[in-house]
Amino acid sequence: MQILEYAIVALFSLSFLIFFHEGGHFAVAKLFRFPVEVFSLGFGKRLFGFRRKETDYRVSMIPLGGYVKVVGLGPDESDVVEGASAPAPTTMGPRWQRLLILFAGPAVNLVLAVALTAGAFLVGREVPKYKGEAPVVTVVDPGSPAEAAGILAGDRILTLRGKPVSTWEEVQIQLALASGERIAVGVERAGQRLSLEIVPTPKTKEQKTYDIGYTGLNPHVPAVVHTVVKGYPGEKAGLKVGDRIVSIDGKPVVLYFQVVHQIKEATAGFEKTGSRALEVVVERDGSRLTLPIVPRKEGDAWKIGFTPFYETVRVRLGLAAAVVASWNETVQQARLTFTTVGRMLQLKGSVRQLSGPIDIAKFSGEAARAGLGEYLGFIGMLSLQLGLLNLLPIPLLDGGQILILLLESAARRDFSLKLKERLLQAGFVFLVLLMVTVLAFDVLKNLGM
């Protein structure tokens, strides 16, 4: 049932964004009096729709995109995907008008991204408090990349790759997306500035699945139980939501990451001696209880099965402040997108960091369940990704069509119809191969492989 719910949310979200994207092309084409033959949500066989004047408004069988067929732009994605039955019409109108028609779709998505994210700030959404706090290191995991880099508890992270950072959110996102890279880190320690280097490396199963860099840098997260995982040792031993863990095997803990470290230390010899119960002391309703918990091995780690309580704050802003905050967040997300694409082009990134339809369905469903603010923020980010993706200079995408127009302008002549069709076909093959690859990894990731 949950899978169906997530799939419906994802289909609605993508259809909503595609409608506005194609609506941008459509509106500007109409403004310049270009005839529009088809406005389609989806590709392939026409399922249903209606005709008004010269335009056939339709919903098609394959819901992974959409298109408007504008007479006068030359061959487009519909000619490749649908298979044109007749030669494409010759181009019409000045090139600057055709350029604006092509740019209008991605532009609408970019504007929509800012609007939706501003809506999220207006409605309000819960965010972990520490993410907006200064990145002062509370705990460094032993044996972690952070320890190898020489980072110590109490260090204040000032820069990454020479650029200033001011919050934990910036630090975590940038390092998570830099798996396997050597990153310059500027820190402040006891009034002195030091330059260090860290190499984020995937550690947990989830990190390896999505090629997310682990560092061992930890913010201030108290050792309070937020959720207890069903069927795990913690639940069986009586661990409850709201418990504050105060010691593991007699060693005091205050922070969640200290709990993780103490469990790691206590279980270090389990491979040789066999597992045993750890004495976990918790504070509950003013009293202290001792729970004997036998950790369960999962991969290379021993777990008791709980997630920590992250203190959250509800961020809700007025209209002007929401627009400013939305703009800043959209710009930051765009920079991260360019960084990720750049890593891919340099063969430093992994396809695992790309999300296919399964991941999009999962993430959109989770966002919808979390609340309206979270959902608006998610589809705002999705709109941004759709807009930026379509601006990539790949034939078949808007960016590729824009590049061809710019090259024609520089050459002061239109390229032959045959050349444009060959470029579109090459772009189609490339995108199909990319989509198949992303989908394959999507399936593998969600199967835990």
Side-chain angles (χ1 to χ4, degrees):
M1 189 66 184
Q2 187 184 69
I3 295 174
L4 178 61
E5 176 189 332
Y6 283 9
I8 291 171
V9 172
L11 185 60
F12 169 79
S13 303
L14 289 173
S15 298
F16 173 80
L17 297 178
I18 292 166
F19 173 80
F20 277 93
H21 176 95
E22 301 303 337
H25 293 308
F26 178 84
V28 177
K30 286 292 188 180
L31 178 66
F32 294 134
R33 302 184 184 280
F34 280 67
V36 179
E37 289 185 349
V38 179
F39 186 119
S40 176
L41 286 179
F43 294 109
K45 184 180 179 182
R46 184 184 192 275
L47 295 179
F48 59 87
F50 62 92
R51 176 173 291 278
R52 185 177 178 185
K53 296 183 179 179
E54 81 275 6
T55 306
D56 177 25
Y57 300 88
R58 65 172 70 163
V59 173
S60 299
M61 183 175 289
I62 306 171
L64 298 177
Y67 66 93
V68 288
K69 188 165 184 60
V70 181
V71 177
L73 285 186
D76 57 23
E77 63 267 40
S78 66
D79 297 310
V80 178
V81 179
E82 308 285 335
S85 57
T90 57
T91 55
M92 60 181 283
R95 289 194 185 94
W96 67 268
Q97 289 184 352
R98 286 181 268 154
L99 194 66
L100 288 178
I101 293 171
L102 290 168
F103 184 70
V108 167
N109 280 128
L110 300 180
V111 172
L112 193 59
V114 177
L116 290 168
T117 307
F121 282 114
L122 279 170
V123 171
R125 53 182 174 173
E126 296 286 334
V127 295
K129 184 181 177 184
Y130 82 87
K131 286 193 173 184
E133 294 176 344
V136 177
V137 180
T138 303
V139 177
V140 176
D141 292 346
S144 66
E147 185 183 61
I151 299 174
L152 304 178
D155 285 355
R156 162 76 153 85
I157 301 173
L158 300 174
T159 61
L160 292 174
R161 293 191 179 97
K163 296 180 180 179
V165 288
S166 58
T167 65
W168 267 113
E169 184 173 31
E170 292 176 273
V171 171
Q172 289 184 326
I173 291 175
Q174 290 189 39
L175 292 179
L177 294 177
S179 177
E181 284 191 63
R182 188 172 295 277
I183 307 297
V185 182
V187 303
E188 183 179 52
R189 181 184 302 165
Q192 292 186 325
R193 295 197 172 196
L194 304 174
S195 296
L196 307 172
E197 284 188 335
I198 189 170
V199 182
T201 308
K203 180 183 178 183
T204 66
K205 184 178 179 180
E206 183 180 20
Q207 288 166 349
K208 291 175 181 176
T209 297
Y210 290 93
D211 194 30
I212 295 172
Y214 158 77
T215 60
L217 294 170
N218 299 308
H220 184 89
V221 178
V224 177
V225 177
H226 178 56
T227 61
V228 179
V229 183
K230 190 174 181 179
Y232 273 67
E235 183 200 38
K236 295 176 181 178
L239 191 66
K240 295 186 181 298
V241 172
D243 285 352
R244 180 181 292 275
I245 300 175
V246 295
S247 71
I248 304 284
D249 267 4
K251 296 185 178 180
V253 293
V254 176
L255 304 174
Y256 165 69
F257 301 103
Q258 291 174 318
V259 173
V260 175
H261 174 56
Q262 293 301 341
I263 291 175
K264 185 177 180 181
E265 276 201 343
T267 58
F270 278 15
E271 293 290 345
K272 294 181 179 178
T273 63
S275 60
R276 63 173 178 82
L278 305 182
E279 289 191 357
V280 180
V281 178
V282 302
E283 192 174 86
R284 183 188 300 166
D285 299 328
S287 301
R288 291 198 172 188
L289 305 171
T290 300
L291 305 176
I293 304 178
V294 181
R296 166 172 143 182
K297 190 173 184 185
E298 196 170 280
D300 296 329
W302 293 82
K303 297 184 177 182
I304 63 176
F306 80 97
T307 60
F309 172 77
Y310 291 93
E311 185 180 356
T312 62
V313 291
R314 187 162 186 81
V315 179
R316 189 174 183 178
L317 306 174
L319 180 59
V323 172
V324 173
S326 172
W327 172 259
N328 292 334
E329 184 166 318
T330 303
V331 169
Q332 182 186 8
Q333 288 287 346
R335 286 173 178 163
L336 289 172
T337 301
F338 291 139
T339 299
T340 302
V341 172
R343 292 184 73 239
M344 297 283 179
L345 293 175
Q346 296 171 50
L347 303 180
K348 293 180 179 178
S350 169
V351 180
R352 286 182 174 272
Q353 291 183 337
L354 301 178
S355 292
I358 299 175
D359 272 348
I360 290 173
K362 182 172 70 174
F363 297 149
S364 59
E366 289 172 351
R369 283 195 164 197
L372 180 59
E374 286 75 8
Y375 178 64
L376 288 174
F378 174 78
I379 58 174
M381 180 191 69
L382 203 58
S383 184
L384 173 69
Q385 304 294 333
L386 182 62
L388 295 178
L389 170 68
N390 271 280
L391 285 174
L392 292 177
I394 300 171
L396 206 71
L397 298 180
D398 295 324
Q401 301 284 66
I402 289 170
L403 177 61
I404 291 172
L405 264 177
L406 292 175
L407 291 174
E408 287 180 333
S409 297
R412 296 186 179 181
R413 64 180 180 84
D414 286 347
F415 298 153
S416 70
L417 180 60
K418 187 174 182 179
L419 174 60
K420 291 180 183 180
E421 288 176 340
R422 293 292 179 268
L423 289 173
L424 287 176
Q425 289 165 358
F428 175 73
V429 171
F430 173 79
L431 289 175
V432 167
L433 290 174
L434 179 62
M435 287 177 66
V436 169
T437 303
V438 171
L439 181 58
F441 275 101
D442 220 19
V443 172
L444 292 174
K445 286 185 292 186
N446 284 278
L447 289 176
M449 300 171 66

